[in-house]
Amino acid sequence: MINERLVRKDDYTWEIAKDETLGMRVPGRIFLSDALMRFLEPAAIQQVANVATLPGIVKWSLAMPDVHTGYGFPIGGVAAFDATEGIVSPGGVGFDINCGTRLLATTLTKEEIEQEIQTLTTKLYESVPAGLGSKGSLRFSEKELDQVFLRGAKWAVDSGYGDAGDLKHCESNGCFDGADVSNVSPLAKKRGMPQLGSLGSGNHFLEIQFVDQIYEEREASVFGLRPGQVCIMLHSGSRGAGHQICTDYLKLFQKASQKYAIRLPDRQLACVPADSRDGRSYFSAMAAAANYAWANRQIMSYRVRDVIEREFSTGAGLVYDVAHNIAKLETHHIDGERKEVYVHRKGATRAFEKDESYGVAQPVLIPGSMGTASYVLCGTTKAMQTTFGSTCHGAGRVMSRKAAKRQLTWKGVTESLRQKHITLKTDDLSAVPEEAPEAYKPIDEVISVVSALGISKVVARLVPMGVIKG
DNA sequence: ATGTTC
């Protein structure tokens, strides 16, 4: 039993000892409280151990407290691979490349919009296309789409969807260097073309929230957050384009893994050396998808601001934008040495101790499940030392989509939201049970673990008033 | 997550 291999290191750290008979090159580490332990799937533990077998992995195969089973790599997983000896893997990034969270802060207070929440939610719903296969209703040329892939949010800002200040408050300034459009398939481009500026489906959402509580006055003030303030949170990614890019390279790497004689405990871990033609090709296509996602969130921000401006004659500044499905080449201090590594964060958020955008710790945005709180945190030194500057990304599923549909109804879920004074707008009621709070871990517990571990610091708690689901 | 099975 894989469960029996898990050894407690301290209150919140569990270790899977390095076992060379299993091909593990490093130990695994899972960060959990006792309360979250009951949600831990044996398959997810196995996935943490499997990742530890991949070539060039450095220090540990990690899983955050919102961990659950994913495609090959666990969701909530963090793994760093040596830049010259290591691999890159599409399964370590996920299908929704640069799925991420963005927070806009308005000048409005909760009281000012309480009576208008229905109208505001409806207006935003009409303005930001949502749902499976939703289209962004933008018209642009193929040449422009190439610019989206190459320049991300910078393209969007240059095209009039925001201002230069937005780029400053975006992870990687909303633009991933090294994208190469020639490594993006015609099908990925075709799927991406009509969808730019749309939310998507599943756990993607747009929420009208208010700042319920501030925990760190200094950081909150630097990030421009104050009690009672109305914020807009967006959770979306690279839509069909990123999904297709992931699919394309998974297929290619099934064969390429053999070419490079990489032994895999699970075919879903398909990977290639980072420093190879195939590795560079995937990385440049992944960068293109990441840029698409940043442009996508930038365009949706423009539409949100348009509604806020029309309804309330006021603006909404960008607090921050984080990626939580991405691989990045970063320098980390490992065993007293500076080392270049490809950090794969799949359902995990960068949490650097310092960020150029505010000159203090990096803002971290963690959405809860539908109808529950979301959090603004910030990065820490401890994260740099123990998690390659990473933290959790959300609540994490506990119930399969199928199980949720079996056990819950859209009426029941909508009613319990109504009792919490939360308005819901969606074009697909049948998908509502899948996103119910009961289908997810308790976000407050997940946050308390990353806070207690010290891998991020809680700055503010946000509570939803209106929810738009794809 | 996703024109939900290449």
Side-chain angles (χ1 to χ4, degrees):
Chain A
M1 279 288 282
I2 188 80
N3 305 45
E4 290 158 14
R5 308 187 65 86
L6 217 50
V7 176
R8 185 167 217 157
K9 296 282 285 184
D10 60 41
D11 284 356
Y12 302 102
T13 308
W14 297 79
E15 192 157 288
I16 311 165
K18 171 177 158 182
D19 184 336
E20 284 174 18
T21 65
L22 295 176
M24 288 173 72
R25 297 165 192 261
V26 293
R29 277 192 177 179
I30 307 179
F31 303 110
L32 290 170
S33 60
D34 289 326
L36 291 174
M37 184 49 105
R38 69 189 178 96
F39 298 119
L40 183 63
E41 306 148 292
I45 308 172
Q46 186 64 59
Q47 290 189 327
V48 172
N50 289 346
V51 171
T53 71
L54 298 177
I57 189 163
V58 170
K59 286 301 273 186
W60 322 274
S61 165
L62 301 172
M64 300 298 128
D66 49 343
V67 63
H68 57 112
T69 313
Y71 183 92
F73 288 62
I75 295 161
V78 177
F81 300 92
D82 185 282
T84 50
E85 309 288 320
I87 54 92
V88 286
S89 176
V93 171
F95 278 88
D96 190 4
I97 297 165
N98 191 5
C99 183
T101 310
R102 173 177 281 230
L103 187 69
L104 300 163
T106 74
T107 59
L108 301 161
T109 64
K110 182 193 174 203
E111 288 71 27
E112 283 174 299
I113 71 154
E114 236 156 11
Q115 303 305 313
E116 337 273 341
I117 190 68
Q118 298 272 355
T119 319
L120 179 57
T121 309
T122 304
K123 297 262 180 194
L124 288 168
Y125 177 71
E126 286 166 354
S127 174
V128 179
L132 187 64
S134 51
K135 294 177 179 175
S137 63
L138 288 177
R139 282 176 171 268
F140 52 91
S141 64
E142 256 179 69
K143 242 186 173 158
E144 268 183 293
L145 182 64
D146 286 351
Q147 291 301 309
V148 171
F149 282 129
L150 288 173
R151 302 184 62 235
K154 285 185 183 165
W155 168 85
V157 165
D158 286 348
S159 305
Y161 300 105
D163 55 62
D166 294 341
L167 302 175
K168 192 174 187 309
H169 294 157
C170 206
E171 178 175 336
S172 299
N173 299 123
C175 178
F176 202 130
D177 291 332
D180 185 343
V181 193
S182 69
N183 292 321
V184 175
S185 70
L187 184 55
K189 290 180 186 174
K190 187 185 168 201
R191 289 181 67 179
M193 181 70 99
Q195 294 184 328
L196 194 68
S198 67
L199 196 62
S201 64
N203 63 11
H204 290 167
F205 67 76
L206 186 160
E207 279 188 1
I208 305 159
Q209 308 171 334
F210 70 93
V211 179
D212 172 58
Q213 208 173 330
I214 300 282
Y215 301 88
E216 294 289 342
E217 294 287 349
R218 180 167 163 263
E219 281 83 1
S221 154
V222 173
F223 301 160
L225 298 171
R226 51 188 176 272
Q229 181 179 24
V230 172
C231 294
I232 307 288
M233 185 175 273
L234 277 163
H235 178 215
S236 183
S238 50
R239 311 286 287 102
H243 190 275
Q244 190 61 48
I245 287 168
C246 181
T247 304
D248 290 339
Y249 282 90
L250 278 172
K251 203 190 281 179
L252 186 71
F253 289 0
Q254 292 296 351
K255 286 197 179 120
S257 296
Q258 292 165 31
K259 180 169 85 185
Y260 296 109
I262 298 170
R263 290 171 54 140
L264 299 174
D266 176 356
R267 278 172 58 85
Q268 294 185 352
L269 294 169
C271 59
V272 298
D275 189 19
S276 68
R277 195 166 169 272
D278 289 317
R280 283 186 289 273
S281 181
Y282 167 68
F283 200 71
S284 71
M286 183 213 62
N291 284 333
Y292 182 100
W294 271 313
N296 194 33
R297 293 197 285 274
Q298 185 65 39
I299 290 166
M300 286 189 282
S301 306
Y302 173 83
R303 290 176 165 169
V304 166
R305 285 164 165 168
D306 188 49
V307 170
I308 304 275
E309 180 64 41
R310 274 189 281 132
E311 294 300 304
F312 300 101
S313 305
T314 186
L318 182 53
V319 176
Y320 207 67
D321 179 307
V322 288
H324 54 225
N325 278 9
I326 205 160
K328 285 181 153 180
L329 182 60
E330 295 173 357
T331 306
H332 286 272
H333 293 268
I334 294 151
D335 297 331
E337 278 179 47
R338 284 166 64 88
K339 210 173 170 68
E340 296 267 294
V341 284
Y342 284 94
V343 181
H344 291 55
R345 297 189 182 91
K346 181 192 194 178
T349 314
R350 199 184 72 169
F352 279 7
E353 65 180 328
K354 207 153 183 78
D355 184 56
E356 59 287 351
S357 73
Y358 287 102
V360 294
Q362 179 218 304
V364 171
L365 310 172
I366 309 296
S369 55
M370 183 170 64
T372 65
S374 293
Y375 285 85
V376 177
L377 303 91
C378 64
T380 61
T381 307
K382 185 82 184 291
M384 304 315 290
Q385 295 164 344
T386 59
T387 57
F388 305 106
S390 315
T391 189
C392 64
H393 86 306
R397 291 201 82 84
V398 288
M399 212 185 270
S400 71
R401 295 190 173 273
K402 215 170 157 184
K405 275 191 168 171
R406 239 184 354 250
Q407 294 174 36
L408 305 160
T409 65
W410 69 262
K411 271 192 177 170
V413 177
T414 311
E415 174 57 20
S416 71
L417 287 175
R418 201 189 59 78
Q419 282 173 10
K420 289 195 271 185
H421 309 288
I422 301 167
T423 302
L424 172 69
K425 292 287 286 181
T426 178
D427 74 333
D428 184 8
L429 285 171
S430 73
V432 167
E434 301 176 16
E435 294 301 321
E438 296 91 327
Y440 285 85
K441 295 175 197 183
I443 186 68
D444 304 278
E445 180 68 18
V446 171
I447 296 295
S448 77
V449 174
V450 296
S451 171
L453 277 163
I455 58 172
S456 32
K457 194 163 72 169
V458 189
V459 174
R461 182 175 194 262
L462 311 175
V463 167
M465 302 173 77
V467 184
I468 291 160
K469 291 294 288 186

